[in-house]
Amino acid sequence: MTGAISSDKTTGRTVLLAWLILSAILTITAASRIMSGQLPDPDDALRLVQVRDLIGGQGWFDMVQYRIDPPTGTPMHWSRLVDIPLLTVTLLLGEGAALVIVPLLTLGAVLWCVGKLAARLCGGEVVLFACLVCGFIPALLMQLQPMRIDHHGWQVASVALAMLAIAGSHARGGAALAGAAMAFGMSVSLELLPIAAILAAVLAARWWRKPHAAIWLITYLQVLAIGLVVLFLATRGTGAPSAWCDAVSPPQLVFFAVIALGATGLAATKPTRAVIAAGLALTGLAGVGALALIAPQCLAPPFAGLDPLVRDYWYVHIAEGQPLWQRPAAEFLPAMVQMVAALAACAMLWRQSTGAARVWWAEHAAVLLGALVLGLLVSRSLAFAAVIAAVPLGWLAVRLLGRMRAASGLGLRGAAALMIVLVLVPSAPVTVANQLSPAVSVSRPASVASAACDVRDRAASLRILPRGVVFAPLDMGPAILLETRHAVVATSHHRAEAAMADVIRAFIAPPDHARAVVASHGADYLALCTDLAEPALYAARHPEGLAALLASDSGPNWLEPVDALSTPEFRVYRVRLDETPSPPR
């Protein structure tokens, strides 16, 4: 749109170079985790369990995890779409290869979209920097690192593809590609719904400005609605679909169908600007009305009806699901510096552009701002803003480098170099300050990835026990499922809400009350890593509760220690419900 020219061949080579550089860095820095098989998050472990179950013969349309809250199991809200690349690479090259290759392929898909968009908007000299910038944004990179096999990377790729599609000059093809990308992304997770709405608003503004541009919004909505139906049938089937609110299901399909039909009918009337605005507003209300008639519970915010116990002890402690401003300043401020810099770059590009390019940079800034607001509300969603910010940040880096080279004085060069550092690595001042100031030791409960108790290794030790049901903290559940044939009462996944509440209730209750909860689930064993954040939270709030007593190696007589498996950080017990309850040992 700026008039810059970069051949597809040159762009492809540059993107490949950037991908090789970033892949090498990520693989080297993750080498120890790759060698030890350490997954970044419990969700990655459960994703691998889902793929193993599929390979083991579980039906394509059967999304129940039967070893979570047995005997009925727990239906998962995840999509089979993410399982396909993992399954393919696993069958061809093995599971270990899939854990590394699939995230890096996802990174490659993201870089291809970013590189193509940079070439189209800014010219070939920005392509490399726009791609490399992706390696300097933590919120983005953490979703594309080796061993990160959960669905968030594919959502980022969907956003990147949609941005590339709507930046083109071919209305019908671009809109169709954007609709397909959002249909894929929302089928993976409904978390992309706000981004899909922001893109729709941008395309609606195009229609409002120019009546002949209606094709952008209409095609986008039509392909989005049809794509959601096709992908739903391909991954969920037609057998008694349920009206879930946390994933694409029939109520959502009706909502998008009403929106697409309403917008299509409106376009057929050749409306004025006032009618376009009013008609689209009424279409939106009609979609919401249809959803309210079919599934009124889906109008409530996500997790609005969550069990209070689960909310207080689980949901509010999921950092990636909480507002960004609640994160430590060392994470929040650098992230905001990069996003504000990207918005400033969009403003600079808007000012120096004319015609279609000027309009695009206003649209790009609007989508980036909307994604940033979403990221402020839900930390994990900052990755969407990050991929949208990559091209303007790449352009800004090139411009600053040019100024540094052209500067005549050492001071001006130093100032330009400092600006580059602040844009690409805004956390550098924090890192330097930490190095210069005396270290302050703060004792904090560990995450699954950083605990002294190696969750996956400790879970594997449970294989020697006869197959049974393990009562364990929520974050340990996926590792137990991955490494053994045992079942667990619950994992950190909200569709098992009642079982999650029971796990929490048992660990914070006195032993005699906890015994009844454990017995109600027919648990054969109880296990916990005492240095994880979750049991530490239980123990801190309820020093008289079961978790606190077990952490101090003092348990009731209905729990028989399995000394051969227990360590200072890991406790394993056989549940002896035939024992008469007694005070803790």
Side-chain angles (χ1 to χ4, degrees), residues 59-100:
W60 175 261
F61 298 119
D62 184 358
M63 297 302 296
V64 176
Q65 280 296 329
Y66 292 99
R67 291 190 292 143
I68 300 177
D69 193 19
T72 55
T74 299
M76 296 299 295
H77 63 287
W78 290 349
S79 172
R80 285 290 187 205
L81 293 174
V82 181
D83 295 340
I84 294 173
L86 290 167
L87 175 68
T88 303
V89 179
T90 297
L91 292 177
L92 292 175
L93 301 174
E95 183 178 282
L99 295 176
V100 177

Side-chain angles (χ1 to χ4, degrees), residues 359-384:
V359 172
W360 165 256
W361 285 116
E363 293 177 340
H364 196 109
V367 179
L368 175 56
L369 183 60
L372 177 56
V373 171
L374 180 62
L376 288 170
L377 296 174
V378 182
S379 298
R380 179 176 57 240
S381 297
L382 189 65
F384 306 145

Side-chain angles (χ1 to χ4, degrees), residues 434 437-441:
N434 289 338
S437 62
V440 178
S441 177

